Amino acid sequence: MVAMILLRALHKDFNRYNDPDNEDEAQEETGWKLVHADVFRTPKHHQMLSVYIGTGCQLLGMGLITLIFALLGFLSPANRGALLTAMLLLFVLMGSYGGFTTARLAKMFHSQSWRTVFLTGVHFPGQVFAIFFCLNLMLWGKAASNAVPFTTLFALIGLWFCVSIPLVFVGAVFGYKRPIIEHPLQVGQLPRHIPEQKWYLRPPVTVLLAGVIPFGAAFIELFFILSSLWLNKFYYVFGFLALVLVILSITCAEISIVMTYFALCYEDYVWWWRSFFISGSSGFHLFMYSIFYFATTLRITNFWSGMLYFGWMMVISYFFAVMTGTIGFLATFMFVRKIYSALKVD
């Protein structure tokens, strides 16, 4: 329904903008056509954007292949150690895909740098490992039997630096060798002034409110996944999970595209990071829901157990935010390129 409404609006826009006999268009003061010389302007912190999109593609590849193996029966939810090991190995192997994506974006932004590639290999895994190490230190301090030993930590670090990071660089080599992604329109020398936006179109408001929709698409399934993680229940309905993943991907793409389209119609061309955060803010809503789940469902009274719960939920929410944000960004990127490539500009 949303896609059909958007297509009708775009059809009307193209008829108005590309009609040579439409003299009223010369007097038009609003619309996404006016920002055609700025819409592809390189965003601020474009290196970190390339890093996050590369990492998001790496996570998406890991999750998709893991789900396919689970659907085919190669991974049993009863053996959680095998499932976690498979996810870890797939994340390491998908490093080449992450490096390739980062290199393609960095080359498009005219900022080819091996430092950006290195950040792809260490930024996100380093943050997750830091949280994991702090939680593990807490378990060591309490002499918990489920604390990860030093030998396993060294094995993880070796896998990270000796396999994952080299694969990221291998993927980046192929990415930098590919032709540069050319924009359909040239960028103007001077940035256009962005008019004052209404309060409901400002980035903080649109990001927080729009993120509720992707979270709502996966809300029911997240309840069962959290019950499997924290209430020692088994999760077997991977077929339904695949369906929810498709719905979540479509929702992330549509909400990012629609909100970006509205912003462009009001002459706000700063869309690169916005498209990532609009769908990625669903990770924030996931963490807020984890607080509600902790208060209403779990019966955890020990302080250190609560710290363990919120530490891992922070990691899971971060995973979710990067993956959904990447879906929203890639969909919006293709949408913006498509509509401006069909625009006739003098």
Side-chain angles (χ1 to χ4, degrees):
M1 181 66 72
V2 175
M4 291 300 296
I5 295 173
L6 182 61
L7 285 174
R8 289 188 62 182
L10 285 172
H11 183 68
K12 292 174 63 178
D13 289 343
F14 282 127
N15 288 339
R16 186 171 74 253
Y17 291 153
N18 292 339
D19 186 3
D21 299 327
N22 189 359
E23 298 179 357
D24 294 336
E25 176 57 24
Q27 305 298 324
E28 185 69 37
E29 296 181 354
T30 60
W32 51 270
K33 180 181 180 180
L34 292 180
V35 296
H36 66 86
D38 297 277
V39 71
F40 294 109
R41 190 175 300 279
T42 301
K44 296 180 180 179
H45 312 295
H46 52 85
Q47 287 186 326
M48 288 308 303
L49 180 62
S50 303
V51 169
Y52 271 112
I53 300 305
T55 303
C57 290
Q58 187 176 352
L59 290 172
L60 285 171
M62 175 203 71
L64 185 61
I65 297 175
T66 302
L67 183 59
I68 292 174
F69 283 166
L71 286 171
L72 296 177
F74 294 114
L75 296 174
S76 173
N79 190 352
R80 297 184 179 181
L83 186 63
L84 185 61
T85 302
M87 292 178 65
L88 181 63
L89 289 177
L90 285 172
F91 178 79
V92 170
L93 295 176
M94 292 302 293
S96 56
Y97 184 41
F100 177 83
T101 306
T102 298
R104 294 282 285 159
L105 288 176
K107 190 172 183 179
M108 181 187 69
F109 291 137
H110 302 286
S111 62
Q112 290 182 243
S113 170
W114 294 112
R115 177 179 175 274
T116 306
V117 178
F118 180 72
L119 281 175
T120 305
V122 299
H123 181 71
F124 179 83
Q127 291 173 321
V128 174
F129 184 81
I131 297 174
F132 165 70
F133 185 74
C134 291
L135 295 176
N136 204 54
L137 278 179
M138 184 182 68
L139 293 175
W140 280 337
K142 292 296 178 180
S145 60
N146 57 346
V148 178
F150 267 115
T151 52
T152 305
L153 285 179
F154 282 127
L156 289 175
I157 294 174
L159 196 65
W160 178 14
F161 282 93
C162 298
V163 180
S164 179
I165 294 179
L167 284 177
V168 171
F169 276 91
V170 169
V173 169
F174 286 97
Y176 281 144
K177 288 182 178 180
R178 295 292 300 274
I180 189 172
I181 301 175
E182 298 287 349
H183 297 312
L185 297 175
Q186 292 185 350
V187 178
Q189 294 184 353
L190 298 177
R192 182 185 181 88
H193 172 70
I194 300 176
E196 184 70 20
Q197 301 293 307
K198 297 179 180 180
W199 67 269
Y200 54 84
L201 288 175
R202 292 174 183 172
V205 179
T206 56
V207 165
L208 285 177
L209 294 182
V212 176
I213 300 177
F215 170 74
F219 168 73
I220 301 299
E221 204 64 19
L222 287 172
F223 173 81
F224 292 107
I225 293 174
L226 291 180
S227 299
S228 173
L229 289 174
W230 302 109
L231 296 179
N232 201 27
K233 296 180 180 180
F234 293 112
Y235 185 88
Y236 287 100
V237 285
F238 289 107
F240 191 71
L241 179 62
L243 177 62
V244 171
L245 181 61
V246 172
I247 296 173
L248 176 64
S249 300
I250 295 173
T251 307
C252 289
E254 285 192 349
I255 193 62
S256 293
I257 288 173
V258 168
M259 297 309 296
T260 301
Y261 174 74
F262 285 154
L264 292 175
C265 286
Y266 284 90
E267 303 176 38
D268 186 355
Y269 53 84
V270 184
W271 63 271
W272 300 89
W273 279 106
R274 186 199 301 256
S275 64
F276 178 82
F277 284 125
I278 282 174
S279 54
S281 64
S282 56
F284 170 76
H285 295 289
L286 173 59
F287 187 74
M288 291 295 102
Y289 174 70
S290 71
I291 298 175
F292 174 79
Y293 185 85
F294 178 85
T296 59
T297 305
L298 300 181
R299 298 293 182 266
I300 297 178
T301 56
N302 185 275
F303 173 77
W304 300 108
S305 298
M307 288 290 294
L308 192 68
Y309 169 81
F310 285 111
W312 281 116
M313 285 309 304
M314 187 182 301
V315 172
I316 293 172
S317 301
Y318 193 21
F319 268 67
F320 193 70
V322 174
M323 287 193 295
T324 53
T326 300
I327 294 172
F329 172 84
L330 293 177
T332 306
F333 178 67
M334 291 186 289
F335 168 78
V336 172
R337 285 179 56 85
K338 184 68 175 178
I339 63 173
Y340 279 97
S341 62
L343 187 65
K344 294 179 181 178
V345 180
D346 295 334

